[in-house]
């Protein structure tokens, strides 16, 4: 994961207003985030990435002139935690979908033909109404997977 933030205080060009009577600091922010994952999982290549770029210009001053209705102003910086969380949430969702698809391909595909209980249970976790799963449970236990799940909490 890489993230960059650049905050540059800039001396403002004096405007033609009351602001020229007191010092104002201008901040110019730029935030870039690029995160990714890449893996070879169960003979399946998965890859994903997320990125975002934000720019913000804000200002602050300490002037306090009650008669002119001027109060100190705090800068309104970017919320880096929110931007990062949003990018990560998208990447986590993508990663979860890749893992689910890999799981289904491994345990609900050709692996079901092996008739191994472990593969059956793993597939049942994702696809409890799969025909093969229900036939297997019916053949071995005389009940459907949903009934076994209810009875034993698996």
């Amino acid at each position: 994961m890489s993230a960059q933030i650049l905050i540059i205080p800039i001396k403002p060009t004096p405007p033609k207003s009351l602001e020229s009577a007191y010092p104002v600091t201008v901040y110019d922010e730029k935030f870039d985030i690029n995160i990714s994952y890449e893996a070879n999982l169960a003979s399946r290549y998965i890859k994903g990435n997320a990125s975002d770029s934000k720019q913000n210009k804000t200002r602050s001053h300490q002037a306090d002139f009650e008669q002119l209705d001027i109060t100190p102003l705090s800068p309104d910086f970017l919320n880096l935690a929110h931007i990062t969380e949003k990018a990560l949430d998208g990447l986590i969702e993508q990663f979860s979908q890749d893992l689910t698809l890999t799981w289904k391909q491994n345990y609900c595909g050709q692996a079901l033909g092996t008739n191994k209980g472990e593969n059956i249970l793993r597939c049942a976790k994702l696809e409890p109404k799969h025909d093969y799963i229900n036939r297997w449970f019916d053949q071995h236990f005389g009940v459907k997977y949903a009934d076994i799940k209810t009875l034993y909490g698996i």
Side-chain angles (χ1 to χ4, degrees):
M1 178 168 92
S2 67
Q4 267 184 332
I5 184 162
L6 180 63
I7 299 177
I8 305 169
I10 302 171
K11 289 282 186 187
T13 312
K16 298 185 185 334
S17 70
L18 287 175
E19 284 187 3
S20 62
Y22 54 89
V24 175
T25 303
V26 176
Y27 299 91
D28 193 9
E29 296 179 278
K30 181 171 174 29
F31 179 70
D32 294 313
I33 183 167
N34 296 303
I35 47 180
S36 63
Y37 67 87
E38 186 173 353
N40 193 355
L41 183 63
S43 302
R44 184 171 181 269
Y45 179 73
I46 61 173
K47 180 180 181 178
N49 64 55
S51 62
D52 201 356
S53 182
K54 298 287 184 195
Q55 287 187 306
N56 182 43
K57 196 173 240 183
T58 186
R59 60 192 183 101
S60 68
H61 63 76
Q62 297 302 317
D64 192 5
F65 301 113
E66 190 175 318
Q67 301 85 351
L68 299 174
D69 199 25
I70 297 173
T71 57
L73 178 65
S74 297
D76 186 20
F77 291 120
L78 292 171
N79 185 339
L80 302 182
H82 177 73
I83 296 167
T84 303
E85 182 180 358
K86 187 177 169 187
L88 280 172
D89 285 349
L91 191 65
I92 289 169
E93 178 65 28
Q94 186 179 358
F95 185 64
S96 179
Q97 289 172 358
D98 280 344
L99 290 178
T100 299
L101 184 58
T102 300
W103 186 284
K104 280 184 181 181
Q105 287 176 346
N106 270 359
Y107 299 109
C108 295
Q110 295 176 350
L112 282 178
T114 64
N115 212 16
K116 289 186 181 177
E118 181 181 355
N119 292 346
I120 301 295
L121 287 173
R122 288 181 181 204
C123 178
K125 200 73 169 164
L126 286 177
E127 294 190 19
K129 295 181 181 179
H130 194 286
D131 287 340
Y132 187 88
I133 300 297
N134 283 311
R135 281 195 314 272
W136 189 89
F137 273 91
D138 196 29
Q139 181 182 17
H140 286 81
F141 303 108
V143 293
K144 302 279 185 225
Y145 173 73
D147 298 332
I148 292 280
K149 187 176 177 184
T150 303
L151 288 170
Y152 296 104
I154 56 172

